[in-house]
Amino acid sequence: MKDALDAILQADQARYLEAIEPPRADLLARMEARAAANRMPISDPEVASFLATLVRAQRPTAMVEIGTNIGYGAIVMAEAAGPSARVRTVEVRAETADIARAYIAEAGLTSRIEVVTMEAIAFLDALADPVDLAYIDCVKEDYPAYLDRLIPRMRKGSVVVADNALWKGLVARDDVPADERARVEALREFNRRIVSPPFRGVILPLGDGVAFGTLL
């Protein structure tokens, strides 16, 4: 979750954009409140809106989410994609995965979302099915490794979306704290790759930065 009101926009612009966000469904609003109260890193509402808009436009049927947390992103994507689409999402913490499953059941999406409890890289290594859209919001140091494993499972036109691409603005700074260097270097590598062949991509100033790339 972002620490400031916004990572790039001026405060008044960020407040304006937040104000015009449509009201969230009750379930999503309760999930946002729980995440805020317990500092659980779910997607910002504007990132969720982008995901929903993208999914409605792309109409993917096979989606993968790297980093379930409490299921917010998976629910947003599954609802936007419609009944023929499926989401496989991975969460390493069993207790958090159970919370996600409960919210997914409440949303009536159990048949469309599978929550897998294991390490993300092991999950991707075992993934046999093709991927139309991947949403990454997990261990920042592993973003390049996730990309390495996703590319062979994707086809022309498949999409990668990744949250926290700007990481509190640190990816643009020279004076990176020592305890953040590994994350920042991994994100810089990931960002370079998502805007270069075999991708055509862009880094969007939403929330804490959203990377968006389409496989050429």
Side-chain angles (χ1 to χ4, degrees):
M1 295 172 66
K2 57 188 179 185
D3 292 341
L5 183 61
D6 200 274
I8 292 180
L9 298 176
Q10 298 297 313
D12 57 343
Q13 297 169 340
R15 281 191 292 268
Y16 165 75
L17 293 176
E18 186 173 356
I20 65 172
E21 272 288 312
R24 260 80 72 195
D26 176 69
L27 174 61
L28 294 181
R30 286 190 282 110
M31 293 175 77
E32 290 168 12
R34 180 175 189 165
N38 294 280
R39 296 193 61 79
M40 292 173 159
I42 68 170
S43 306
D44 291 324
E46 63 268 33
V47 176
S49 289
F50 171 73
L51 274 177
T53 302
L54 175 64
V55 168
R56 287 183 184 278
Q58 290 284 122
R59 290 296 176 189
T61 58
M63 293 176 284
V64 166
E65 180 187 43
I66 312 303
T68 310
N69 203 272
I70 60 173
Y72 185 84
I75 289 171
V76 167
M77 291 192 294
E79 287 184 335
S84 64
R86 297 293 179 269
V87 178
R88 296 192 74 199
T89 180
V90 61
E91 171 58 51
V92 70
R93 295 158 296 197
E95 182 179 354
T96 307
D98 286 341
I99 294 171
R101 292 186 186 102
Y103 279 126
I104 289 164
E106 184 177 349
L109 295 170
T110 300
S111 64
R112 293 194 239 163
I113 302 173
E114 178 188 3
V115 181
V116 180
T117 307
M118 63 191 304
E119 292 280 354
I121 289 177
F123 166 77
L124 288 171
D125 283 339
L127 192 64
D129 298 327
V131 176
D132 298 323
L133 185 148
Y135 178 48
I136 302 172
D137 188 9
C138 201
V139 179
K140 311 312 167 192
E141 294 90 335
D142 289 340
Y143 272 34
Y146 301 151
L147 202 58
D148 288 337
R149 288 156 174 81
L150 283 167
I151 290 173
R153 293 162 174 82
M154 303 181 88
R155 48 202 166 199
K156 182 178 179 179
S158 293
V159 170
V160 173
V161 180
D163 204 3
N164 305 115
L166 296 174
W167 196 239
K168 311 170 191 176
L170 290 176
V171 296
R173 285 175 46 181
D174 294 326
D175 56 332
V176 177
D179 61 345
E180 294 283 7
R181 285 176 191 157
R183 295 186 190 93
V184 168
E185 287 304 314
L187 287 167
R188 285 173 175 167
E189 178 187 345
F190 178 89
N191 291 344
R192 284 192 298 268
R193 292 177 63 182
I194 209 71
V195 300
S196 306
F199 287 96
R200 180 69 174 92
V202 64
I203 311 300
L204 301 169
L206 297 173
D208 194 27
V210 174
F212 169 47
T214 301
L215 196 66
L216 297 172

